[in-house]
Amino acid sequence: MIKHLLILSSLLSFLYGNNPAHPNVVFVLADDLGIGDISPTNPECKIKTPHLQKMADEGITFMDAHSSSAVCTPTRYGVLTGRYNWRSRLARGVLSGTSNHLIPAERATVGHLLQKAGYHTQMIGKWHLGWDWAKADTSQKNWKDIDFSKPVRNGPDINGFSNYYGHCGSLDMPPYVWVDTGEITAQPNREEGVDRTEDPYGWYRKGPIGADFKIDQVLPHLFDKSVAYVKERAKKKKPFFLYLPLPAPHTPIVPVPPYKDASKMNPYADFMMQVDGHMGALFAAIKEVGVDENTLVFFTSDNGCSNQANFEKLAEFGHDPSAGYRGHKADIYEGGHRVPMIVRWPKGIKAGQKTNTLACLTDLYDTMRDITGQKKIDHGGEDSFSLVPAFKGKSKTT
C-alpha cells in the first residue's frame, strides 16, 4: 500500500510540474540601459560593471539581441506574452502610471506557462503594463480621482503571477505608491516632484507619494525585496520564477552612496554602477541559499539608452551607450532596439560563451516552454523562439 502511495505521489508530482530538475528562473529587465553600457557587450565600455562581466564569463552573452520595441511598455508586453507588441491594443507610445491593464487575463503569459509547470511566480519592480486603480470617475485619465484606500484590480496577478510588489509605471510617473498584490502599502501623504530645470538627471513628475515611498531608495528597496524572495523560496521544494523589471537606469537617475560620484563621469554612469552592484548582491544571495547551480538568470534591457543619460557628457570620457550603433531609445535605428542580453545557468549553459545567434526578448516564452517540456499551443508565444539551442552552442534558435 505504501509503495503504491509513493508511486502515486511521484506521478502527481510529475503531472503537476513539481519537478526539482526545473531550474529556478530570474529575469532581470533593466530600463533604458544601452548595449554599450556594460563591458560584456562593449569592450570599449568606460563604466565599471564587474558583476555583469562575471555573469557573462560564467554564462552566455548574446551579441545580436533585440527588444521588440524601442520604448518601455510594448517591450514588456512582448517579454511576458511572447508576442510582438503590435498584436496588443496599444497602437503607439507607452502607458502612463494611471492606465488600465493592457494584458487580458485570458492571454497566455510566461507566468501562466510556468505556473502550469509547478512554479511559484513573483513580479517585483516596475510593471508599466497598466492596472486598474479604484476611481470614482472612470473617465478621469490622471491620479486626482484615485481612491487609494481601495484595492487595485487586474494587476500582474491576472497575468500569471502568484504575487507581485511594485510601482505602476516608470519611476518618473505618478502616483508613487507601492502595491503589494492589490493592496496599497501606505497612503499618499504628500505631493512631490522635481522639475527638469532643477535636476536634469533626477527629475520626476509631480504627484501623490506614499509615506513609505522614497525615490532614491526605490532601486535598493526592490533588490532587497528580491533577495528576501529568493531566500524564502529556496526553502521550498517547488521552483520559482522571479520577474524583476528594474526602474533603472531610467529617469529619475538617482544614484546613492557608495555609487554616487563613483564613476567620475556623470550620474548616469554612477547609476549603472549601482545596477551592477545590486546584481552582485543578488547573485551572492542565490549562492548563499544553495540554489546557484540550477538557477537560470537573464539580464537584459527593455530598449536602448535614453538621451537623458547625456550622451555628450559621456562622450567626453570616451563612452558610447549605443556602442557605435546609430540612435538611442525611441529610435527605429539599432541603438534603439539592440540590447545586451546575458544568460547564466551553471547546470545548463557552458560558461564563457559569446553568440551571434539572433535573439529577441519575446523569446523568453518559448525558451521556458522548451525547458519545462510543454507543448506549443495555438494562442501562446506566437512570436517566440526557444533559445535553448543557442545555450548549447548552436547558431540558430527554434
Side-chain angles (χ1 to χ4, degrees), residues 217-251:
Q217 291 301 314
V218 165
L219 184 62
H221 179 60
L222 292 173
F223 270 100
D224 286 347
K225 284 281 186 182
S226 299
V227 165
Y229 173 77
V230 167
K231 290 181 176 180
E232 174 198 349
R233 297 311 307 181
K235 300 173 185 176
K236 312 295 182 181
K237 291 185 178 180
K238 66 191 297 185
F240 63 81
F241 169 46
L242 170 60
Y243 172 53
L244 177 53
L246 307 180
H250 191 291
T251 51

Side-chain angles (χ1 to χ4, degrees), residues 98-100 132-147:
T98 57
S99 298
N100 290 339
D132 300 345
W133 298 99
K135 293 183 180 181
D137 180 358
T138 56
S139 66
Q140 289 281 350
K141 300 299 182 184
N142 56 41
W143 49 263
K144 294 184 178 179
D145 202 43
I146 294 175
D147 184 346

Side-chain angles (χ1 to χ4, degrees), residues 104-262:
E106 61 273 16
R107 171 62 55 204
T109 68
V110 176
H112 291 134
L113 180 84
L114 292 179
Q115 283 181 335
K116 288 179 182 177
Y119 281 69
H120 183 274
T121 57
Q122 175 84 31
M123 193 288 294
I124 297 175
K126 166 188 169 174
W127 181 236
H128 212 180
L129 285 164
W131 57 44
D132 300 345
W133 298 99
K135 293 183 180 181
D137 180 358
T138 56
S139 66
Q140 289 281 350
K141 300 299 182 184
N142 56 41
W143 49 263
K144 294 184 178 179
D145 202 43
I146 294 175
D147 184 346
F148 291 104
S149 68
K150 294 182 179 178
V152 165
R153 300 189 183 279
N154 298 320
D157 49 339
I158 70 165
N159 297 135
F161 290 97
S162 310
N163 300 98
Y164 70 91
Y165 181 92
H167 175 244
C168 51
S170 294
L171 193 52
D172 54 18
M173 295 178 175
Y176 306 110
V177 296
W178 293 119
V179 177
D180 189 347
T181 317
E183 299 298 323
I184 293 163
T185 63
Q187 295 292 307
N189 62 356
R190 64 195 188 282
E191 285 189 18
E192 188 175 289
V194 173
D195 190 84
R196 294 174 194 244
T197 58
E198 297 176 69
D199 188 342
Y201 292 102
W203 66 270
Y204 53 101
R205 298 171 181 85
K206 186 176 182 181
I209 186 165
D212 62 349
F213 200 103
K214 297 177 175 59
I215 294 291
D216 64 352
Q217 291 301 314
V218 165
L219 184 62
H221 179 60
L222 292 173
F223 270 100
D224 286 347
K225 284 281 186 182
S226 299
V227 165
Y229 173 77
V230 167
K231 290 181 176 180
E232 174 198 349
R233 297 311 307 181
K235 300 173 185 176
K236 312 295 182 181
K237 291 185 178 180
K238 66 191 297 185
F240 63 81
F241 169 46
L242 170 60
Y243 172 53
L244 177 53
L246 307 180
H250 191 291
T251 51
I253 298 167
V254 284
V256 297
Y259 303 100
K260 188 175 182 180
D261 300 323

